[in-house]
Structure formats: structure tokens, C-alpha cells
């Protein structure tokens, strides 16, 4: 292993700066580092953020990015710009040995260096790696499934949907056409319902520009294993959402599971079979694998066992929040309840965590995290939505407007707020963009074709070596 240099202390005789390592650059990681750089005095501590991507993704805007309402670059926040006082390391944490206060990290340069992973030493650890998609051993899912958790997946799905409409418009095979125009979404939570609502809205609009594809030709299927969708907005609005989606011609199947999607055929537990080229998997998340590669205590669901002070339970100098942390909800009427792993808690927990970490460094008292859940908002497409906020229930346009106002107020940086607002304003004045840029996924394909002088022929069979004269 190659150990990172220890730069503690700025001059001879000065107190060495505390080394704070933040694992993850999502909601919790970015907001914790942002609050730390605001509150720490010069030379008091040095903050290192290790993250796989150089940006934070504002995930509530992924459905609108997929629908083309927001540009992809305005859904992400560049960490180096917003965290100028922090050291940003683009890489993956492979292991954490908290007993030794070290994290094993691989970076983009690890393979080229040939020296293996490096170890970063720290004094205080903030674990905020977030979550990853929770998949099940469904045959064919790994080969044909599409996720919806990153901006790359959102834009890739948009390109894919438009490409399927192009395929359906140009093919003369009815089976190929039907499969191209069938879209199956698995998971009735926020990600699945909002992605389905926005993309169905976009595809319905795009159909007017195809001479032989009509909106009623498109088949949309939502598969949910439980007996309700959008549990965060309550049963009444969940029932309304099902009714609204079905009114739009979307096939909502509750208490149903995806059994297989091999050979581009989605087989459901109720016996239905849908030949399809699109299976979008949004059936929940699970804690990041790095938690299992640490010596920190976890609960039965794999999340870090935490206190209301956002410290890891029973461990000194370790902090956690967000999806990776099981934080007790002290505002809940029943004991033992945990804070929901959502953005509303993550942003507030991050600020509270940073305040407590600074207080701990200065020997001050810590404060328990307490936030009473305010409610939820969800978009179901342009001018359509549901909201349950502070006990009030809204449907349709008012809920959609509240969804936009709330998330515009929460997206980080004034720069991003103004860019998103400008895009929404222009989208209201002009027609939607319906261009597929699927070639972005293979940007060198055209050049490779040109450089090779055309499609590459199949490789010739190997020629056997000529016989050798043993006498030379």
C-alpha cells in the first residue's frame, strides 16, 4: 500500500490540524463538507472528500432531466467549485479500518500507477456513501434492466425511449414494433412513479412528430409488489395516483412481481407476459457495500447504527447520516422509529452533523438531531402531481407547482436555481426538445469507423506456425 502524506500542522510548533475524512459526495457528504468549511477556523482542520464522481446529483430532478425539462448539467453541482477549501479525491473507498484510522482508496490513477490502492489516514470519519440499487435475482435483469439513480441513467433512459420510438416507426415487423413500444417500470416508489409519469408525458408529446406512431400505440406498465404506490404521500393520494395513471392508459399492477425478463420478455407473477425492450428497475435501494467492508457496527438491515447526535453508536470519532445511517427519530411518537432515508432528512442531518463535529473538536456540547417530517411532493408529469405537506393534501396542478417551488428552493447554489428557473421558463414558451442523443454513449464509434476505413471484417483464423528445422 502507498500511504498518503500526512500534512498535519502548518508550521513548526503549531497544533496539528485535525484530519477529517468525508466518504461520499452526495447530499450528506457535500452539505457536511460545505458546513465544515464555513464553520472551521483557519488551520483548525483539513477536510478531505472522497467520492466516485466530481459532482453531487440532485436526484429529485432526475425525472425532469429524463423528460428534457432540465439540462443534465443543471441537475449536478460541481464539488470543486462549491468546496474550494476542501481536498477533493475522485475515487472509491474499498475498506475502512477505523481502529487504525485508515481508509483504503482506489483513484482514477491507481491502475496507471501500478502501485495498488492508497491509504488515507484520518482523525475524524464522516461516512456518507449513500445507497445503491437493490436488485433481486431476477433472470435477465442484469442483461436487460435499466436503473434510474444517476444522471447518466436518466439521460440514457430518455435516449433509449426515443430510440425505441424510432425503431417502431421504421420497422415492418409487428413483433419488433410492439416490443419497442412497451415500457415496463418495476417499483412504485418515488423514482419509479415520477420517472414513468415524466417519460410517458414526453413520449406522448413526441408521438405527434411520428407519422405512424400514435400515443395509444405506446404501452406503459407499472409493476409494484405491495398493494399501494407512493407510501410517503399517504393511502388517499396513493389511490388517487393509481387512478390518475390508469386514466392516462398506464397499466398499474399492484401486488405483482417481475419474475423474469429473459429474451426481452417481461414475465409477471400474475401470469402476464410483455415482449419489451425496456425494463426500468426502481425497486428500492440498499446500503452502500463499503459499510460491510468496515469495522463499524451495523443494524440488521446493513445500515450504520447511529445515535441522535449522528455519531456511530459506541464508536468514537465516527459520524454518519443519510441513507447509510440508521438515525433514531426522536420526534416520532413511538420509540425505536428511525428517520426515513430521504433527501429531506439527509440535508438537515448533514448540517447538524457538521455542527456537532465542530463542537466536538472544540470540547462543546453536542445537539440531538430532531426534525419532524414535513411531508412529500411528487410529480406525475407536466402540470400533474400529488403533495401531502403539513397535513394538507393537494392534487393536480397545485401539487405540481408546489413540487417545483419546493425543489427549486432546495437545489444547491443560486447559480443552479437561476439556470433551472430559466429552463422552466423557456420550456413554457417553446416546444419540447425530443432529440435522442444515444450516440453520446459511444462517442468514439464514428471516429473508429472512419479510422478503420469502414466496418471491421471478422478476424481471419490463426495461421499455424511453419514447421521448424531442428537442425537450424
Amino acid at each position: 500500500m502507498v500511504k498518503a502524506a500526512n500534512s498535519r500542522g502548518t508550521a513548526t510548533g503549531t497544533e496539528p490540524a485535525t484530519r477529517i475524512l468525508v466518504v461520499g459526495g452526495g447530499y450528506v457528504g457535500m452539505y457536511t463538507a460545505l458546513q465544515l468549511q464555513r464553520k472551521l477556523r483557519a488551520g483548525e482542520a483539513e477536510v478531505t472528500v472522497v467520492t466516485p464522481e466530481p459532482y453531487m446529483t440532485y436526484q429529485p430532478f432526475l425525472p425532469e432531466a429524463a423528460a428534457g425539462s432540465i439540462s443534465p448539467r443543471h441537475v449536478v453541482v460541481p464539488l470543486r467549485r462549491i468546496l474550494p477549501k476542501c481536498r477533493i479525491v475522485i475515487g472509491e473507498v474499498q475498506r475502512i479500518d477505523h481502529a487504525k484510522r485508515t481508509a483504503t482508496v482506489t483513484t482514477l490513477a491507481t491502475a496507471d500507477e501500478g502501485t495498488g490502492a492508497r491509504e488515507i489516514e484520518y482523525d475524524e470519519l464522516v461516512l456518507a456513501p449513500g445507497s445503491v440499487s437493490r436488485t433481486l435475482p431476477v433472470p435477465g435483469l442484469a442483461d436487460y434492466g435499466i436503473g434510474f439513480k444517476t444522471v447518466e441513467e436518466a439521460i440514457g433512459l430518455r435516449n433509449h425511449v426515443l430510440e425505441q420510438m424510432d425503431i417502431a416507426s421504421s420497422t415492418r415487423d409487428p413483433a419488433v414494433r410492439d416490443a419497442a413500444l412497451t415500457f415496463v417500470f418495476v417499483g412504485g416508489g418515488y423514482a419509479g412513479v415520477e420517472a414513468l409519469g415524466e417519460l410517458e408525458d414526453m413520449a406522448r408529446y413526441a408521438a405527434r412528430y411520428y407519422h405512424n406512431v400514435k400515443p395509444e400505440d405506446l404501452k406503459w406498465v407499472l409493476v409494484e409488489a405491495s398493494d399501494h404506490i407512493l407510501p410517503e404521500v399517504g393511502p388517499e393520494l396513493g389511490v388517487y395516483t393509481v387512478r390518475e395513471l390508469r386514466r392516462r392508459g398506464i397499466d398499474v399492477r399492484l401486488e405483482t412481481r417481475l419474475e423474469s425478463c429473459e429474451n426481452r420478455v417481461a414475465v409477471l407473477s400474475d401470469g402476464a407476459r410483455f415482449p419489451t425492450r425496456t425494463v426500468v428497475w426502481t425497486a428500492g435501494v440498499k446500503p452502500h457495500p463499503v459499510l460491510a467492508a468496515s469495522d463499524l457496527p451495523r443494524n440488521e438491515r446493513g445500515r450504520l447504527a447511529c445515535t441522535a447526535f449522528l455519531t456511530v453508536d459506541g464508536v468514537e470519532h465516527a459520524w454518519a447520516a443519510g441513507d447509510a445511517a440508521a438515525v433514531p427519530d426522536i420526534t416520532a411518537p413511538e420509540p425505536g422509529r428511525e428517520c426515513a432515508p430521504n433527501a429531506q432528512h439527509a440535508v438537515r442531518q448533514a448540517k447538524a452533523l457538521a455542527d456537532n463535529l465542530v463542537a466536538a473538536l472544540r470540547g462543546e456540547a453536542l445537539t440531538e438531531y430532531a426534525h419532524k417530517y414535513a411531508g412529500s411532493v411528487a410529480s406525475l408529469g407536466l402540470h400533474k402531481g400529488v403533495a401531502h405537506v403539513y397535513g394538507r393534501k393537494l392534487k393536480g396542478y397545485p401539487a405540481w407547482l408546489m413540487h417545483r417551488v419546493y425543489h427549486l428552493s432546495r437545489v444547491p447554489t443560486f447559480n443552479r436555481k437561476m439556470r433551472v428557473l430559466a429552463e422552466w421558463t423557456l420550456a413554457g414558451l417553446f416546444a419540447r426538445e425530443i432529440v435522442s442523443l444515444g450516440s453520446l454513449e459511444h462517442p468514439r464509434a464514428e471516429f473508429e469507423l472512419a479510422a478503420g476505413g469502414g466496418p471491421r471484417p471478422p478476424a481471419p483464423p490463426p495461421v499455424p506456425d511453419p514447421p521448424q528445422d531442428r537442425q537450424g
Side-chain angles (χ1 to χ4, degrees), residues 287-318:
H288 196 283
V290 72
L291 302 186
S294 74
D295 53 353
L296 299 173
R298 296 176 293 146
N299 66 7
E300 65 280 0
R301 290 186 299 278
R303 300 168 72 193
L304 292 173
C306 294
T307 69
F309 298 105
L310 302 172
T311 60
V312 177
D313 195 15
V315 180
E316 294 183 344
H317 309 293

Side-chain angles (χ1 to χ4, degrees), residues 77-414:
V77 180
L79 295 178
R80 296 187 190 279
R81 176 183 295 177
I82 199 172
L83 301 174
K85 298 181 182 179
C86 301
R87 177 187 174 207
I88 307 298
V89 177
I90 306 304
E92 293 269 6
V93 175
Q94 304 296 329
R95 291 190 305 277
I96 295 174
D97 188 342
H98 190 66
K100 296 181 179 179
R101 303 291 194 273
T102 61
T104 304
V105 179
T106 56
T107 69
L108 297 177
T110 297
D112 291 334
E113 290 173 342
T115 53
R118 61 191 295 189
E119 285 188 353
I120 296 181
E121 299 176 345
Y122 61 84
D123 301 302
E124 300 285 343
L125 174 67
V126 178
L127 262 176
S131 57
V132 297
S133 295
R134 177 176 62 87
T135 58
L136 299 176
V138 176
L141 182 61
D143 297 321
Y144 301 111
I146 302 173
F148 197 79
K149 191 167 173 58
T150 67
V151 67
E152 292 86 358
E153 289 175 328
I155 303 309
L157 182 57
R158 166 187 169 81
N159 292 334
H160 175 82
V161 169
L162 292 172
E163 185 179 80
Q164 298 313 302
M165 297 180 69
D166 289 333
I167 291 173
S169 176
S170 59
T171 184
R172 290 179 289 181
D173 187 330
V176 172
R177 175 185 171 89
D178 290 345
L181 296 181
T182 300
F183 307 94
V184 179
F185 285 68
V186 184
Y190 272 119
V193 173
E194 289 195 321
L196 172 59
E198 291 284 356
L199 286 166
E200 189 274 341
D201 210 26
M202 178 204 72
R204 179 180 294 273
Y205 176 87
R208 69 180 65 183
Y209 297 103
Y210 291 81
H211 70 282
N212 58 351
V213 176
K214 300 178 182 178
E216 52 268 27
D217 294 336
L218 282 71
K219 182 183 298 182
W220 301 83
V221 183
L222 176 63
V223 180
E224 168 55 40
S226 68
D227 61 353
H228 59 278
I229 65 174
L230 292 181
E232 297 86 353
V233 299
E236 180 183 336
L237 291 178
V239 171
Y240 165 82
T241 302
V242 171
R243 188 167 62 248
E244 171 66 16
L245 294 178
R246 286 174 174 166
R247 187 189 63 80
R248 291 161 58 176
I250 298 172
D251 185 356
V252 181
R253 294 179 178 247
L254 303 178
E255 298 182 278
T256 307
R257 299 179 307 278
L258 177 68
E259 298 286 353
S260 170
C261 57
E262 288 184 304
N263 301 319
R264 295 192 182 276
V265 177
V267 180
L268 308 185
S269 59
D270 61 3
R273 299 171 61 89
F274 295 98
T276 178
R277 299 168 62 91
T278 308
V279 175
V280 183
W281 182 268
T282 61
V285 296
K286 63 181 180 181
H288 196 283
V290 72
L291 302 186
S294 74
D295 53 353
L296 299 173
R298 296 176 293 146
N299 66 7
E300 65 280 0
R301 290 186 299 278
R303 300 168 72 193
L304 292 173
C306 294
T307 69
F309 298 105
L310 302 172
T311 60
V312 177
D313 195 15
V315 180
E316 294 183 344
H317 309 293
W319 312 74
D323 290 358
V327 179
D329 186 355
I330 63 175
T331 66
E334 63 274 12
R337 188 173 177 180
E338 298 174 357
C339 295
N342 55 37
Q344 187 177 145
H345 279 298
V347 172
R348 292 170 173 82
Q349 287 174 0
K351 294 179 180 179
L353 189 159
D355 290 343
N356 278 345
L357 204 165
V358 173
L361 294 180
R362 298 172 182 173
E364 301 169 357
L366 307 186
T367 304
E368 290 186 319
Y369 170 75
H371 171 67
K372 190 173 179 61
Y373 193 58
S376 301
V377 292
S379 170
L380 304 178
L382 189 63
H383 301 159
K384 297 176 282 289
V386 290
H388 188 186
V389 181
Y390 293 115
R392 299 195 63 180
K393 301 172 184 177
L394 300 174
K395 308 171 184 176
Y397 184 85
W400 172 83
L401 183 61
M402 177 171 285
H403 173 272
R404 284 204 160 182
V405 171
Y406 173 78
H407 285 301
L408 183 65
S409 70
R410 293 300 174 183
V411 67
T413 76
F414 181 76

